[in-house]
Amino acid sequence: MEGSSRKLFLLSCLVVVGSSAQDFGQTQFICTSVPKDMDLCTATMQNSGPAEDLKTTVMQLRETVLQQKETIMNQKETIRELTSKLSRCESQSLPATGPGGRRPGSKNTMGDVSRGTTDTLAQLGQTLQTLKQRLENLEQYSRGNNTVQANSLKDLLQNKIDDMEKQVLSRVNTLEETKPGARNDTDQRNRVESTLTSLHHRITDLEKGKETRPTDKFQLTFPLRTNYMYAKAKRSLPEMYSFSVCLWIKSNASPGVGTPFSYAVPGQANELVLIEWGNNPMEILINDKVAKLPFLINDGKWHHLCITWTTRDGMWEAFQDGVMRGSGENLAPYHPIKPDGVLVLGQEQDSLGGGFDATQAYVGELANLNIWSKKLSIAEIYNLATCNSKAPAGNVFSWTESNIEIFGGATKWTFEPCRSHN
């Protein structure tokens, strides 16, 4: 080897170690030639530049990929959740033609019926808690951003809550029929109902925004036949020797819309009841005495109903949409409506404030229930049915939010009679 004519080279080896073996595999040695007369450290630093740049670039690319992967996973989770809920809604809307309440070969998207009721309800409750957290985030967003995006987010969340409500209530009802009297399951159910009620109250508050909604411009919705979804008046009715009761109602339930309201007193569960049960026509019960009413209402449209009664000779009159449809007498004559009772909306009472039967539950929408301790005139009833400004409010029970408590997932929405008509 001719040392005078050739430059001698040393091998300078750079050790490149990844941040972890998981990132780059095993340690690698990268060797390069260095002229004899060049400082070894300087050459090493010069040659290490591209390697360091490469390492930095790789790390940045890896971080970008991880971020994209996390985003994709979140999107997949959202899609999976929405798809699951859509499947559940579709499975509920299809008729059950096979054993177990499902179509043959259909997937049970609501979970295995054989699973423990506690586990199932706990899972549903956890899902509702997640929705509640999202609603809280939406509230914070809408306070600082009163925009179209905030409203669209609110609408999307409301739709998801509606779907979840139907799934939960249907599931709970099925489980209760399977295992009646299980105390732990009842406690779980009550917590789920409480969460549902809280969710809908929060949505109502969002709907109000900065505007002050009149306290009587609301409706109650009872989407399912259950024995636990209802509303209750905070005060009892007084003793009455005559009365008028009027309300707006909308339902297409069949057979029978159920029980719009019932008033029970100690010793008499059927003191005053409006009910359409099974294939029977709508009836008014006073002290367990019955009169059949000529109403036709289960067409899915809003209708205004009024019933008047007086203890003298038990005379009654029935009005639908401001027009008298029928009348009669001898309905519990000389029996005054007793005080100290419980007025319930959406359920028929077999005992004071309870004893509900799901088959008699009301399904549909209800609004503007007012009760007077007198017989209204035909003109007053017509004003009520046509939303005339002269229409009176009930002197015994008036339709205001402060007079009503809601239980079991019954929902409350903004409503104005006649404007919302049909």
Side-chain angles (χ1 to χ4, degrees):
M1 201 174 177
E2 298 179 6
S4 58
S5 59
R6 297 177 183 271
K7 294 182 179 180
L8 295 178
F9 292 86
L10 296 176
L11 290 178
S12 172
C13 297
L14 300 176
V15 180
V16 180
V17 183
S19 59
S20 67
Q22 183 178 358
D23 297 335
F24 296 100
Q26 297 180 351
T27 303
Q28 297 180 357
F29 293 88
I30 301 175
C31 299
T32 183
S33 61
V34 179
K36 180 179 179 182
D37 56 353
M38 182 177 290
D39 181 73
L40 182 60
C41 293
T42 302
T44 301
M45 293 181 64
Q46 289 178 353
N47 286 290
S48 66
E52 290 297 330
D53 292 341
L54 179 60
K55 179 181 177 182
T56 302
T57 302
V58 170
M59 293 296 292
Q60 291 176 347
L61 289 174
R62 179 177 178 274
E63 183 177 357
T64 301
V65 170
L66 290 176
Q67 290 176 350
Q68 292 178 347
K69 181 179 179 181
E70 182 178 359
T71 301
I72 292 172
M73 291 299 294
N74 290 338
Q75 291 175 346
K76 285 183 177 180
E77 182 65 26
T78 301
I79 293 171
R80 184 161 49 248
E81 180 183 355
L82 293 175
T83 303
S84 176
K85 290 176 182 177
L86 179 60
S87 299
R88 292 172 183 174
C89 292
E90 289 176 347
S91 67
Q92 288 183 340
S93 63
L94 293 172
T97 57
R102 299 196 303 274
R103 294 178 297 112
S106 66
K107 183 179 180 181
N108 181 12
T109 57
M110 287 301 293
D112 190 352
V113 176
S114 64
R115 288 182 58 190
T117 58
T118 301
D119 293 340
T120 303
L121 291 177
Q123 183 180 5
L124 294 173
Q126 184 178 3
T127 304
L128 286 177
Q129 286 298 122
T130 301
L131 289 177
K132 187 174 182 179
Q133 182 62 45
R134 292 182 181 178
L135 180 55
E136 291 174 353
N137 295 337
L138 174 60
E139 286 176 329
Q140 295 176 0
Y141 180 80
S142 62
R143 289 191 191 105
N145 301 274
N146 189 14
T147 62
V148 176
Q149 288 86 352
N151 292 332
S152 63
L153 282 173
K154 183 190 71 176
D155 294 339
L156 175 62
L157 182 57
Q158 182 61 63
N159 291 335
K160 291 174 69 176
I161 291 174
D162 287 343
D163 293 341
M164 181 59 63
E165 174 193 88
K166 292 179 181 179
Q167 296 165 26
V168 171
L169 294 178
S170 177
R171 181 59 175 165
V172 171
N173 196 32
T174 302
L175 293 175
E176 280 202 331
E177 292 176 358
T178 305
K179 284 190 174 184
R183 183 168 184 176
N184 291 336
D185 296 344
T186 300
D187 292 340
Q188 291 266 5
R189 185 203 72 192
N190 290 337
R191 284 194 290 270
V192 171
E193 292 171 5
S194 177
T195 305
L196 281 172
T197 301
S198 175
L199 283 170
H200 285 288
H201 286 171
R202 302 286 287 282
I203 287 292
T204 300
D205 292 339
L206 277 179
E207 287 180 333
K208 290 181 181 179
K210 295 182 179 180
E211 300 178 359
T212 302
R213 184 184 69 188
T215 58
D216 63 336
K217 304 300 184 184
F218 71 98
Q219 71 181 54
L220 298 181
T221 299
F222 304 88
L224 298 171
R225 289 195 194 275
T226 72
N227 61 353
Y228 49 82
M229 186 186 300
Y230 66 101
K232 184 174 68 174
K234 294 183 179 180
R235 296 185 299 176
S236 176
L237 302 181
E239 185 176 54
M240 296 187 294
Y241 291 85
S242 62
F243 72 78
S244 299
V245 55
C246 300
L247 69 157
W248 284 92
I249 194 171
K250 178 181 179 181
S251 179
N252 59 0
S254 180
V257 301
T259 308
F261 71 85
S262 64
Y263 177 67
V265 298
Q268 179 53 271
N270 295 327
E271 183 68 4
L272 176 58
V273 182
L274 182 65
I275 185 173
E276 185 182 80
W277 186 28
N279 294 317
N280 300 314
M282 183 164 279
E283 300 172 336
I284 182 79
L285 282 71
I286 299 178
N287 193 32
D288 214 20
K289 306 300 187 294
V290 182
K292 298 184 183 300
L293 305 177
F295 291 151
L296 297 175
I297 60 171
N298 61 341
D299 56 1
K301 298 180 179 180
W302 281 104
H303 293 285
H304 187 261
L305 306 181
C306 271
I307 301 102
T308 67
W309 172 86
T310 177
T311 185
R312 184 173 181 178
D313 297 326
M315 299 188 65
W316 60 270
E317 295 175 341
F319 297 78
Q320 179 174 330
D321 299 325
V323 179
M324 184 186 293
R325 301 289 185 177
S327 61
E329 59 183 11
N330 202 34
L331 175 59
Y334 305 104
H335 170 83
I337 302 298
K338 296 179 181 179
D340 303 323
V342 177
L343 177 62
V344 169
L345 311 182
Q347 295 285 350
E348 194 273 335
Q349 304 173 67
D350 286 336
S351 59
L352 187 64
F356 303 149
D357 183 348
T359 63
Q360 297 175 327
Y362 175 68
V363 178
E365 298 164 79
L366 184 152
N368 286 51
L369 174 67
N370 284 274
I371 303 176
W372 297 260
S373 58
K374 66 175 185 177
K375 179 181 177 181
L376 293 181
S377 66
I378 294 177
E380 288 175 318
I381 292 174
Y382 182 80
N383 287 339
L384 286 166
T386 55
C387 305
N388 191 295
S389 59
K390 297 180 180 179
N395 69 322
V396 168
F397 176 82
S398 60
W399 187 255
T400 59
E401 294 186 60
S402 59
N403 288 341
I404 297 174
E405 296 177 292
I406 302 174
F407 301 91
T411 58
K412 182 168 59 178
W413 305 100
T414 300
F415 171 80
E416 290 192 44
C418 296
R419 287 189 183 182
S420 303
H421 205 157
N422 302 334

